[in-house]
Amino acid sequence: EVQRSLHNYMGTALLLAERPDLAIQEYELARSIAPNAYGWVGSGDSLMAQRDWRAAAEAFSEAIALDPYYAVPYCGLGIIFARQRMVSRAVSCYEQAVALQPTWGAPYALLGLAFELEARIDAAREAYRTCALQAGPNAGLRQAVNIRAEEILHHPPTAVPTATLIPTPSPTPIPTWGAYRVQKGDTQRA
């Protein structure tokens, strides 16, 4: 248990040192000792830093499968969905994180950003205000969300287009009846 924790902490330190390539190795070592949600979240964060969005989403999903009551991987998935302009799915993820850990400020800030993407100004401002109340000793977060809550009053965001699935075209059968072969001397006049 101690060795696994040390690898997880080393991964976190490397991620903060902007070395996601090395951080992911530490999280993999931690998971090889005993899989845990914290290690999968660390891997997801490292993969996001490397812009491997698909693999990051898979890592966050693995974390949720191991511990569905851990709020952090829902935030990670929400970030990926918001980036892909699947805003309603991002909002659902952030709301799940809030439901699991209502006294944690970060999901409220992310929820505010998602509401901005939908141009839901009142909802965004409320999420930012709640974040400020839940920020605890994180004065930087409190200040940032308070400033943002006021900025969107003066410069309201415009909703971004959301991702729309492209329909798969169905094959069009080639008609075999009614085909006419043009003959010499035919004209377009009736």
Side-chain angles (χ1 to χ4, degrees):
E1 178 66 32
V2 170
Q3 195 173 21
R4 181 183 73 179
S5 293
L6 287 174
H7 285 296
N8 279 332
Y9 294 144
M10 180 62 85
T12 301
L14 288 165
L15 192 53
L16 291 171
E18 298 180 11
R19 290 302 308 264
D21 55 323
L22 298 176
I24 199 162
Q25 293 173 13
E26 292 295 327
Y27 291 122
E28 287 171 356
L29 286 170
R31 288 195 325 269
S32 72
I33 295 168
N36 67 349
Y38 185 92
W40 279 111
V41 167
S43 291
D45 289 341
S46 300
L47 291 161
M48 276 200 313
Q50 294 176 322
R51 304 208 182 304
D52 188 346
W53 309 109
R54 184 194 53 73
E58 290 172 8
F60 292 129
S61 295
E62 288 290 335
I64 292 168
L66 281 173
D67 186 358
Y69 300 103
Y70 186 30
V72 178
Y74 292 98
C75 290
L77 272 179
I79 290 167
I80 293 168
F81 288 140
R83 185 185 179 288
Q84 295 171 339
R85 298 188 191 266
M86 295 181 191
V87 181
S88 63
R89 290 184 76 181
V91 167
S92 294
C93 287
Y94 301 144
E95 287 174 340
Q96 181 66 34
V98 164
L100 291 170
Q101 200 168 349
T103 59
W104 182 33
Y108 293 103
L110 294 168
L111 192 56
L113 290 170
F115 287 147
E116 280 194 59
L117 291 173
E118 295 178 323
R120 294 173 53 193
I121 297 163
D122 291 337
R125 293 188 78 231
E126 182 60 31
Y128 290 141
R129 283 193 289 262
T130 306
C131 176
L133 293 172
Q134 302 300 336
N138 192 337
L141 177 61
R142 185 180 311 101
Q143 182 181 10
V145 294
N146 282 331
I147 290 170
R148 188 67 197 148
E150 291 306 311
E151 282 180 351
I152 61 176
L153 272 180
H154 305 293
H155 306 287
T158 303
V160 297
T162 57
T164 306
L165 294 177
I166 298 170
T168 306
S170 58
T172 306
I174 299 172
T176 56
W177 55 270
Y180 176 78
R181 199 171 275 275
V182 178
Q183 303 293 322
K184 186 175 181 178
D186 285 347
T187 64
Q188 290 184 349
R189 294 186 195 162

